[in-house]
Amino acid sequence: MMMGSFPPTADKWAMRFHYPNFQNDMWRIYGRVFFNDADYFRVGDEKRFDPERIRAFMFERGIASCPTVVQAIRETGNASDKNLTVVTTIDLDTILPQVPNVKSLFTTGGKATEVLLNLLPEPPAKSKHPKTNQNVDYPYRWHDAANNKAGKVNELTLYRLPSTSRAYPLALDKKVAAYKDFFKKIGKL
């Protein structure tokens, strides 16, 4: 399950789906990784991607997508996570039962990684957070609110991948290589 932080302000959206900013390279990276075509998900020459085509692809490949942050304040009005104040995080107790076969979570940067690790009963020290292209075990124990008891521990692995933002100082080819290696590792490619 792909887990980012929070979308940019609505005026930057080119579609109503995850990673909606046309300037973000997420869907170009996916296009290159899976189809060797950066414009695979693009709508012709328009500055937008096709959310229905993306949804169909993700469903077919068994890749879920979910933000780690439900409510946030963008202190500067731009899409940088550096100035993002998290108000409400994702409720994994609600999400994980909906995707019972999920084995891997992958984040697209530091803020999403930090948010997820802080959901653990004993969050690791920041110095123990995975660096880009590293992974850690993620033993999340979900709580069954309906029956007011602890649920099972999901044996998950959390991978931290490079940010797909163009502001992140890594060449597109290196981002594509990192995502390609990851998808090979988890058996999606």
Side-chain angles (χ1 to χ4, degrees):
M1 181 161 57
M2 176 172 65
M3 302 194 74
S5 59
F6 198 74
T9 55
D11 62 310
K12 303 275 193 254
W13 290 22
M15 64 177 178
R16 296 191 59 79
F17 194 66
H18 297 271
Y19 297 88
N21 188 340
F22 186 73
Q23 296 306 311
N24 187 290
D25 283 326
M26 178 60 74
W27 304 119
R28 288 177 192 84
I29 291 169
Y30 269 71
R32 292 246 329 253
V33 167
F34 290 95
F35 305 100
N36 203 30
D37 179 1
D39 289 328
Y40 184 82
F41 294 108
R42 189 172 177 175
V43 177
D45 291 332
E46 296 178 40
K47 290 187 175 184
R48 66 185 183 96
F49 299 104
D50 183 342
E52 293 309 316
R53 189 172 200 183
I54 294 168
R55 275 187 194 95
F57 158 79
M58 292 180 75
F59 185 79
E60 174 188 308
R61 292 289 175 137
I63 301 169
S65 184
C66 181
T68 58
V69 177
V70 177
Q71 276 185 307
I73 298 169
R74 290 215 173 270
E75 303 293 343
T76 59
N78 65 24
S80 171
D81 284 351
K82 192 183 309 180
N83 302 309
L84 183 74
T85 300
V86 175
V87 175
T88 309
T89 61
I90 191 70
D91 179 4
L92 283 180
D93 292 345
T94 301
I95 299 299
L96 288 176
Q98 294 178 48
V99 286
N101 296 325
V102 70
K103 301 286 185 242
S104 304
L105 304 177
F106 65 102
T107 59
T108 58
K111 185 63 123 185
T113 304
E114 178 184 324
V115 168
L116 282 178
L117 289 171
N118 284 331
L119 295 178
L120 292 174
E122 295 179 27
K126 196 159 186 163
S127 62
K128 301 287 184 190
H129 289 197
K131 306 287 185 235
T132 302
N133 296 322
Q134 293 181 342
N135 63 280
V136 294
D137 290 337
Y138 189 76
Y140 183 81
R141 178 181 294 274
W142 60 276
H143 185 264
D144 180 355
N147 297 311
N148 197 23
K149 62 180 182 178
K152 68 177 183 154
V153 173
N154 286 56
E155 300 299 329
L156 300 171
T157 302
L158 173 61
Y159 295 85
R160 178 177 171 186
L161 296 179
S163 170
T164 57
S165 168
R166 291 188 180 176
Y168 185 72
L170 187 66
L172 180 62
D173 286 344
K174 290 185 178 183
K175 291 178 187 182
V176 168
Y179 279 74
K180 187 175 277 192
D181 287 346
F182 165 73
F183 283 117
K184 283 180 184 174
K185 186 181 293 184
I186 66 164
K188 298 287 179 189
L189 191 63

